[in-house]
């Protein structure tokens, strides 16, 4: 039988955080809380992880504030959108669901950055962390993005640069050129509906993504552009699994600081995958995650 699915909202200050639980939170295994990327994406593209609930572990997806089915705040100024805001929201959700005494987190891309920030605080109930396709520094990320862009067809890179310099990154030509990069380094298989839904939601309300990141994955000009956790990674004591893809925009150079500075860590690089291995090789990804989470329970 398929694991039951329940949906609801958790109060977060004056706002509401929407969540989806697959499985039973009261089951014996520690629940897994899934943190989506962006900042500014939605939970949809991470729904392949819901299958982990078939192992008897509840899986919690949620839309971070400003996105998806949670409260939208289009008029908030840039200074409202901070890492601390999303850390506070995560803590609020864990407390509301009554799982603060024993839980795990998996963050993908920006979600992995947020998961690492959360882990540096050493919450007593955190049993393990999965950091998937995430950089430890956005300056490293931008430098590596420039390297990957240099390998694009010259006319594609010229189009990207021209529109970035002109401030016309909302043009169709920029989007077409952007997709060439995305098809190499973000998702190398036909985009499933859950990924298309995520991008459609971002297009409908790009407030968070444009404010904190920028107009694309490789043109980071938002408020997070100088973010780094490298000098704080030694504070992470929870067992940690790193996952990245062979063709990932989160290149080995951007992930390596996690491996170098977290005491209890392992790193898996998935062949033939890029930034979304949970979509590109779902079975392999979920098996890796499940096996790691089971060791955290033990």
């Amino acid at each position: 039988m398929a694991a039951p699915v329940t949906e609801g909202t958790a109060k977060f200050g004056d706002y509401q955080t929407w969540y989806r639980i697959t499985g039973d939170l009261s089951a014996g295994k520690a629940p897994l809380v899934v943190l989506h990327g962006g900042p500014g994406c939605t939970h949809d593209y991470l729904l392949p992880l819901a299958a982990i609930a078939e192992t008897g572990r509840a899986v919690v997806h949620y839309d971070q504030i400003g996105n998806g089915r949670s409260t939208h705040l289009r008029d908030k100024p840039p200074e409202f959108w901070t890492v601390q805001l999303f850390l506070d929201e995560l803590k609020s959700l864990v407390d509301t669901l009554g799982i603060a005494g024993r839980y795990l987190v998996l963050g993908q891309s920006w979600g992995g950055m947020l998961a690492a920030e959360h882990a540096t605080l050493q919450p007593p109930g955190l049993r393990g962390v999965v950091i998937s396709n995430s950089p430890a520094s956005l300056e490293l990320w931008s430098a590596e993005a420039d390297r990957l862009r240099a390998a694009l067809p010259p006319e594609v890179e010229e189009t990207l640069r021209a529109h970035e310099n002109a401030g016309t990154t909302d043009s169709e030509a920029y989007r077409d050129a952007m997709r060439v990069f995305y098809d190499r380094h973000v998702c190398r298989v036909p985009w499933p509906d859950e990924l298309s839904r995520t991008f459609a939601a971002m297009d409908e309300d790009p407030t968070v993504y444009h404010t904190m990141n920028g107009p694309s994955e490789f043109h980071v000009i938002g408020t997070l552009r100088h973010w780094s956790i490298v000098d704080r990674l030694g504070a992470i004591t929870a067992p940690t699994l790193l996952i990245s893809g062979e063709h990932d925009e989160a290149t080995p150079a951007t992930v390596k600081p996690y491996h170098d500075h977290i005491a209890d860590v392992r790193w898996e690089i998935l062949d033939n995958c890029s930034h979304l291995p949970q979509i590109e090789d779902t079975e392999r990804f979920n098996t890796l995650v499940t096996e790691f989470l089971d060791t955290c329970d033990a």
Side-chain angles (χ1 to χ4, degrees), residues 270-283:
L270 300 191
D271 295 341
N272 302 316
C273 291
S274 59
H275 196 55
L276 301 177
Q278 82 281 356
I279 290 173
E280 296 163 306
D281 192 349
T282 303
E283 183 176 358

Side-chain angles (χ1 to χ4, degrees), residues 1-2 23 59 66 111 123-124 139 163 178 183 199 222 236 243 248 297:
M1 294 180 61
V59 179
E139 291 184 349
H163 285 283
M178 182 174 70
D183 285 345
F199 273 90
I236 297 178
I243 301 177
D248 205 332
D297 280 328

Side-chain angles (χ1 to χ4, degrees), residues 148-161:
L148 296 176
R149 287 175 60 155
L152 294 173
E155 65 275 13
V156 172
E157 175 62 359
E158 288 168 8
T159 298
L160 292 172
R161 293 293 178 193

Side-chain angles (χ1 to χ4, degrees), residues 36-263:
H36 67 67
C41 290
T42 64
H43 77 285
D44 299 80
Y45 79 103
L46 290 168
L47 281 174
L49 276 74
I52 291 173
E54 300 301 328
T55 69
R57 183 185 309 282
V59 179
V60 180
H61 288 83
Y62 72 104
D63 287 336
Q64 294 162 22
I65 201 77
N67 308 291
R69 302 185 192 183
S70 294
T71 305
H72 285 245
L73 299 161
R74 292 173 174 84
D75 297 329
K76 291 294 185 183
E79 56 268 24
F80 176 82
W81 302 106
T82 64
V83 173
Q84 189 61 52
L85 172 74
F86 294 104
L87 286 173
D88 292 344
E89 181 187 29
L90 173 57
K91 182 180 185 303
S92 176
L93 177 64
V94 168
D95 288 343
T96 298
L97 295 179
I99 60 174
R102 187 166 173 260
Y103 66 102
L104 306 124
V105 296
L106 181 153
Q108 197 279 330
S109 196
W110 145 255
M113 296 155 59
L114 183 61
E117 290 273 6
H118 182 67
T120 65
L121 304 176
Q122 300 180 6
L126 182 64
R127 295 292 186 260
V129 182
V130 181
I131 298 173
S132 183
N133 319 98
S134 306
S137 156
L138 283 184
E139 291 184 349
L140 276 176
W141 171 277
S142 293
E144 287 295 283
D146 286 342
R147 184 178 66 79
L148 296 176
R149 287 175 60 155
L152 294 173
E155 65 275 13
V156 172
E157 175 62 359
E158 288 168 8
T159 298
L160 292 172
R161 293 293 178 193
H163 285 283
E164 288 165 0
N165 291 335
T168 53
T169 54
D170 57 349
S171 69
E172 185 175 352
Y174 185 82
R175 286 178 173 270
D176 289 345
M178 182 174 70
R179 184 63 186 258
V180 176
F181 182 96
Y182 282 24
D183 285 345
R184 288 189 180 194
H185 301 295
V186 177
C187 186
R188 294 169 69 88
V189 300
W191 287 20
D193 180 61
E194 59 263 28
L195 180 58
S196 296
R197 290 202 307 270
T198 290
F199 273 90
M202 292 170 67
D203 288 342
E204 183 180 346
D205 184 0
T207 303
V208 182
Y209 189 72
H210 285 178
T211 300
M212 298 185 75
N213 182 81
S216 70
E217 291 290 280
F218 46 77
H219 189 46
V220 181
I221 56 175
T223 58
L224 275 182
R225 63 189 179 277
H226 300 303
W227 176 88
S228 175
I229 199 172
V230 174
D231 62 352
R232 294 178 285 127
L233 290 172
I236 297 178
T237 56
T240 302
L241 171 64
L242 307 174
I243 301 177
S244 58
E246 178 185 5
H247 305 286
D248 205 332
E249 59 181 341
T251 66
T254 72
V255 178
K256 189 173 182 294
Y258 291 115
H259 188 261
D260 289 346
H261 298 294
I262 298 175

